[in-house]
Amino acid sequence: MIREKPSVKIGLIQERIASNLGFHISYIKAWKAKQKAIVRVFGDWDESYAFLPRWLDYMLLFSPGSAYKLDVNEHRIDGRLDGSHKVFKRVFWTFKQCYDAFNYCKPMLQIDGTHLYGKYRGTLMIATAVDGNNYVLPVAFAVVSCILAAVNNVDLGWQPPRGYHVFCLRHLASNFNHKFKNIMLKKELKKLGYTTSRLDFDDGLEKFKESSPQIAAWIYRIPKEKWSISYDAEGRRFGHMTTNLSECVNKEAREEMDKGNRFAKVFWVAYVKNQQNVATHFVTSYDRQKTRFEVQESYNQRTHRGGKKWWVSLADRAC
């Protein structure tokens, strides 16, 4: 069950054991059994974090030009420094293919995160870009504790004129509803954010503030240019009012992981297709020093196609 769906509910585990084995176990026993099964299938938490530096180095080896930044803290036992261990703090990584492709996207990043659950907490952040056709590109990834601290740090370069930070309107409206418990005003807040006329926005905002002094104080503390399209004078958010594109990446990744798939569906379809094509080609001679190979294509008797030869140079990346 764990291999097929790691996020399986504890109640379902209890039901499966009861129906298959006739034993009724408590919730805590089922929970402990799930944790042990996860360790056996995927490895334990400590081993996974210990393997992280090697995984990042392998990424640089097999994807040259990629980059990462791993921050750790010193490990102390009873106040004494233990130099043989380090404590994970945060990590950032990006693949060269991703940040090269960002040159052809809108100069805008949508950043969203999903909370990590289990023994160690934190947030997995994904910075997502979008091109002119609204195709989604994940640019960079990080495991951190807080993003606002990084954005507000003037020494990191995310402040104007190098960078401009705006809010996701959907998250802003959800935060409002969480605080004031008013669905109708939540909808009105989102409507204001999408209002393109500044005159209509100003009139609507004044009426919104009349709801209560507490609501007026809450919305006053949030700069208009951070959440309303009418005050996006430079058009820096390109009409994107939410981080739905980043949410899309998170959702697709979780769905594929729940199915037990290691790769994205589009990639896997292309991989299988390429594997089928590879089966019809054979290396007939090669020069290891020059990394030059002669490849023979098999001849298809039914279609009367194939039989061609190519010289493939790995060093020159030419055929």
Side-chain angles (χ1 to χ4, degrees):
M1 293 176 66
I2 296 300
R3 190 184 301 276
E4 296 173 356
K5 189 175 183 181
S7 60
V8 60
K9 301 294 184 182
I10 301 300
L12 183 58
I13 296 177
Q14 291 176 290
E15 293 177 7
R16 184 70 62 86
I17 293 176
S19 60
N20 292 351
L21 303 176
F23 293 104
H24 296 276
I25 63 173
S26 65
Y27 182 94
I28 189 62
K29 283 187 176 181
W31 182 87
K32 290 181 178 179
K34 178 182 176 180
Q35 305 313 307
K36 291 182 178 181
I38 289 176
V39 170
R40 292 190 63 177
V41 174
F42 302 105
D44 65 19
W45 296 96
D46 294 339
E47 288 179 355
S48 297
Y49 274 88
F51 188 75
L52 182 60
R54 278 193 292 168
W55 182 89
L56 293 168
D57 287 336
Y58 280 132
M59 177 189 72
L60 300 186
L61 179 63
F62 291 99
S63 181
S66 300
Y68 76 84
K69 172 72 172 174
L70 176 61
D71 287 339
V72 297
N73 290 327
E74 294 179 342
H75 182 238
R76 294 182 177 272
I77 301 177
D78 297 329
R80 292 178 297 177
L81 179 64
D82 177 13
S84 62
H85 292 81
K86 299 292 183 181
V87 179
F88 174 85
K89 185 178 181 181
R90 56 187 172 228
V91 63
F92 157 87
W93 74 96
T94 181
F95 301 102
K96 185 177 187 302
Q97 299 88 338
C98 293
Y99 71 73
D100 281 349
F102 180 60
N103 292 316
Y104 306 97
C105 293
K106 300 174 184 177
M108 174 191 68
L109 290 172
Q110 293 190 15
I111 302 176
D112 196 40
T114 179
H115 293 290
L116 302 179
Y117 298 98
K119 185 177 180 180
Y120 302 112
R121 301 302 175 92
T123 305
L124 171 63
M125 309 295 300
I126 301 179
T128 308
V130 59
D131 66 12
N133 293 319
N134 283 334
Y135 290 163
V136 179
L137 171 73
V139 178
F141 311 84
V143 176
V144 296
S145 56
C146 179
I147 184 176
L148 285 178
V151 172
N152 293 330
N153 190 330
V154 295
D155 297 325
L156 297 181
W158 288 103
Q159 297 293 319
R162 297 183 61 188
Y164 296 83
H165 177 233
V166 295
F167 295 139
C168 168
L169 183 58
R170 182 174 55 82
H171 283 86
L172 184 71
S174 295
N175 292 342
F176 170 85
N177 189 59
H178 181 74
K179 183 176 181 63
F180 297 105
K181 304 295 189 299
N182 192 316
I183 294 293
M184 296 303 297
L185 284 180
K186 172 186 175 182
K187 294 180 179 179
E188 186 62 29
L189 180 62
K190 294 174 68 175
K191 182 179 177 181
L192 279 173
Y194 281 105
T195 300
T196 55
S197 167
R198 184 171 295 189
L199 181 62
D200 292 341
F201 172 85
D202 290 338
D203 290 341
L205 184 60
E206 290 304 314
K207 293 179 181 178
F208 187 84
K209 290 178 179 178
E210 293 173 0
S211 304
S212 75
Q214 294 78 15
I215 290 178
W218 184 86
I219 198 66
Y220 177 78
R221 290 193 295 268
I222 306 174
K224 299 173 185 176
E225 65 272 12
K226 294 280 190 181
W227 63 279
S228 64
I229 196 170
S230 61
Y231 275 85
D232 181 25
E234 303 296 329
R236 293 189 180 95
R237 63 191 304 157
F238 292 90
H240 294 276
M241 299 302 296
T242 70
T243 56
N244 283 350
L245 293 176
S246 298
E247 289 285 346
C248 176
V249 173
N250 286 340
K251 184 174 184 295
E252 289 175 358
R254 286 195 295 268
E255 288 179 350
E256 292 300 318
M257 290 176 64
D258 288 343
K259 294 176 184 176
N261 297 333
R262 295 177 58 194
F263 305 104
K265 183 178 180 181
V266 174
F267 169 83
W268 187 249
V269 170
Y271 173 81
V272 172
K273 183 179 179 180
N274 288 338
Q275 283 290 92
Q276 294 172 348
N277 291 336
V278 167
T280 64
H281 294 74
F282 306 91
V283 177
T284 56
S285 65
Y286 55 88
D287 183 339
R288 288 189 182 275
Q289 292 184 342
K290 295 182 179 179
T291 63
R292 197 163 182 259
F293 302 85
E294 185 183 67
V295 179
Q296 170 76 51
E297 181 185 23
S298 62
Y299 183 76
N300 191 313
Q301 295 288 349
R302 183 175 59 83
T303 62
H304 301 291
R305 291 183 177 180
K308 297 180 180 179
K309 289 184 179 181
W310 293 271
W311 278 105
V312 179
S313 173
L314 297 185
D316 299 329
R317 297 187 178 182
C319 175

